[in-house]
């Protein structure tokens, strides 16, 4: 069976780097299209209160969330650069997607 399209979920961890290597190898062997997907939620702190150093006033909460999302977007850009580098080095076809929202719903 020949694979045509592969989706690899990346979060910048060492494990996702290994997964990307396996996905790139499969895509190369099957001449498949490889889509890299980075869910922003996976890059955000699991416990927002802990990340903010306690429970902030409601007026400052939106600013803090905006800042954390901006940091997640910056991390996603680094992950994207590594993904695109892998595509180029392996001469693969592919594209990149960033997911916003709850991972299970977006995927």
């Amino acid at each position: 069976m020949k694979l045509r399209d592969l989706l690899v979920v990346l979060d910048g961890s060492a494990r996702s780097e290994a997964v990307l290597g396996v996905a790139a190898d499969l895509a190369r062997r099957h001449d498949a299209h490889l889509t890299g997907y980075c869910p922003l939620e996976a890059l955000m702190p699991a416990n927002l209160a802990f990340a903010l150093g306690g429970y902030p006033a409601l007026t400052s909460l939106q600013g803090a969330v905006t800042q954390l999302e901006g940091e997640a977007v910056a991390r996603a850009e680094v992950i994207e650069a590594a993904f695109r580098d892998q595509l180029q080095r392996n001469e693969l076809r592919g594209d990149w997607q960033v997911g916003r929202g709850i991972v299970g719903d977006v995927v």
Side-chain angles (χ1 to χ4, degrees):
M1 175 174 74
K2 184 172 179 170
L3 301 174
R4 294 179 186 259
D5 293 293
L6 298 169
L7 173 70
V8 61
V9 178
L10 303 170
D11 63 6
S13 67
R15 180 177 181 186
S16 76
E17 288 178 26
V19 168
L20 177 56
V22 170
D25 183 54
L26 278 171
R28 187 178 55 255
R29 284 192 282 147
H30 291 268
D31 191 30
H33 180 271
L34 182 60
T35 299
Y37 175 75
C38 182
L40 282 185
E41 182 183 73
L43 304 180
M44 300 282 284
N47 184 331
L48 188 58
F50 180 76
L52 299 175
Y55 292 94
L58 288 177
T59 54
S60 65
L61 186 59
Q62 183 58 48
V65 169
T66 301
Q67 178 186 346
L68 289 171
E69 185 175 86
E71 292 170 4
V73 167
R75 287 181 59 203
E77 289 170 354
V78 171
I79 297 166
E80 177 184 5
F83 173 77
R84 292 196 183 279
D85 180 61
Q86 188 76 265
L87 288 180
Q88 186 176 20
R89 280 189 286 128
N90 289 287
E91 299 177 351
L92 298 172
R93 296 174 292 113
D95 64 276
W96 177 255
Q97 303 259 333
V98 174
R100 293 179 186 271
I102 298 171
V103 176
D105 294 341
V106 176
V107 171

